[in-house]
Amino acid sequence: QERRPTNSRNQNATTTFPSILMNVYIIHMIRVEKVVLRSFLCSVFLLLALVTAAAANNEEDAAKIPDESDFALIQSCLDQTTDKRLPKTAHCIGIVTDRCYKMDLPILPIQCSDRELTAWEHLMNEYFDSLISHNKERPDLAVSLLDAHKYWTEIKSKDCDYYAGRWLDGSIAQRDASFICSRDAYAIRALTYYYLAYSLNGIAGN
């Protein structure tokens, strides 16, 4: 019986076409996997960067906050000063900043002044509250003290605006001047309240 001739080219095309599709599919999936893997790795690296940055910011913020040793340093300076009046106690201003410079802290040197400012602000409020509490029976004196504190706050802001405004806007010198001015202003006011509160006991220095 005579065989019918077959078309080998068509057979090859029929058997080869699915293979080509499979290869194309495999290559496509490999590319997709690479894109997915690349995106995943980028997300991981970004997350790690954000976590690291957040940890660094938290560490920096914590370093700006005075600790118990800072308050103890100021108190020790005041205790060793016989005359509790300004300007005798003024030498206690800046001691926290000076020590901060020598410590290995994740903050800029100018932020050491801000660290001490926070300490003096806390002490100022503490002495101020003590004076207000002492004058409960003298509301006129309490009101006078409240008014004086309010006016001081306004004057302090204007003084430091002028003091820092002499420097180029945005410069490190301007920031440094602003921090130091605010620190000294809060410290001097705190020392004023400190002497007033101390003198209530009748043991103020001469």
Side-chain angles (χ1 to χ4, degrees):
Q1 183 177 1
E2 184 179 358
R3 294 182 177 180
R4 297 179 59 184
T6 59
N7 191 334
S8 59
R9 180 178 300 178
N10 290 338
Q11 288 182 346
N12 292 337
T14 302
T15 57
T16 304
F17 186 70
S19 299
I20 295 175
L21 286 178
M22 180 60 67
N23 291 336
V24 170
Y25 175 76
I26 292 173
I27 293 173
H28 172 72
M29 291 306 298
I30 291 174
R31 290 177 177 176
V32 169
E33 289 178 358
K34 287 182 178 180
V35 172
V36 172
L37 179 60
R38 189 180 297 113
S39 299
F40 173 75
L41 291 176
C42 289
S43 299
V44 171
F45 290 142
L46 178 60
L47 179 61
L48 289 175
L50 291 174
V51 170
T52 302
N57 288 335
N58 290 337
E59 186 178 2
E60 180 179 341
D61 291 340
K64 297 176 184 177
I65 301 174
D67 54 27
E68 292 299 324
S69 65
D70 294 323
F71 290 104
L73 184 63
I74 294 175
Q75 189 59 53
S76 176
C77 180
L78 294 175
D79 291 343
Q80 295 175 26
T81 305
T82 304
D83 192 335
K84 306 302 181 181
R85 294 173 296 188
L86 284 168
K88 299 295 184 181
T89 53
H91 70 282
C92 295
I93 302 174
I95 56 177
V96 171
T97 302
D98 292 341
R99 188 180 68 164
C100 176
Y101 287 154
K102 302 172 185 178
M103 298 171 65
D104 186 19
L105 297 175
I107 57 177
L108 297 173
I110 60 175
Q111 292 175 310
C112 287
S113 299
D114 194 29
R115 179 185 175 105
E116 182 172 351
L117 183 158
T118 304
W120 283 114
E121 182 179 13
H122 175 83
L123 292 174
M124 179 192 71
N125 292 330
E126 182 180 304
Y127 302 146
F128 179 77
D129 291 342
S130 176
L131 290 171
I132 293 296
S133 178
H134 181 80
N135 288 287
K136 286 182 178 179
E137 305 300 325
R138 291 290 307 274
D140 56 325
L141 292 179
V143 170
S144 178
L145 185 60
L146 288 168
D147 288 342
H149 186 75
K150 176 184 176 182
Y151 295 143
W152 168 82
T153 302
E154 296 174 354
I155 294 173
K156 183 268 302 179
S157 298
K158 295 183 181 300
D159 284 346
C160 289
D161 287 345
Y162 168 76
Y163 187 74
R166 299 178 303 163
W167 304 94
L168 182 65
D169 285 345
S171 65
I172 294 179
Q174 186 184 58
R175 292 179 60 193
D176 197 14
S178 179
F179 280 133
I180 291 177
C181 179
S182 296
R183 178 202 67 187
D184 292 353
Y186 276 104
I188 291 172
R189 197 63 183 179
L191 290 173
T192 300
Y193 292 154
Y194 168 74
Y195 170 71
L196 291 174
Y198 189 87
S199 63
L200 294 175
N201 298 320
I203 54 175
N206 296 319

